[in-house]
Amino acid sequence: MSKIYINTELGTEKRCTCCGDYYPLDTDFFYKNGTWRGKAQWTAHCKACFIETYRGDK
């Protein structure tokens, strides 16, 4: 089983549960769900997969 978060020279990266690729953990690649106990909560899918899955043509 692969890790959800990894640390690289670019900083912390998160794995998209849909495509399996790692992207920098910021608002350019993931949507924020809000905060919980002072920590940011991020969507499990990257923005590209989120748009394709939830906002794609039906």
Side-chain angles (χ1 to χ4, degrees):
M1 184 172 188
S2 60
K3 295 181 180 182
I4 295 173
Y5 298 99
I6 58 173
N7 290 317
T8 65
E9 62 275 355
L10 299 174
T12 303
E13 294 188 1
K14 180 177 171 30
R15 183 175 51 87
C16 172
T17 58
C18 188
C19 65
D21 292 335
Y22 285 92
Y23 298 104
L25 185 59
D26 60 20
T27 56
D28 290 337
F29 295 97
F30 291 95
Y31 290 112
K32 274 190 176 180
N33 280 341
T35 58
W36 186 70
R37 293 188 180 182
K39 294 179 78 177
Q41 299 293 305
W42 302 90
T43 56
H45 295 349
C46 65
K47 282 187 175 183
C49 290
F50 188 90
I51 290 168
E52 184 177 319
T53 302
Y54 297 108
R55 297 182 185 167
D57 294 330
K58 294 183 179 180

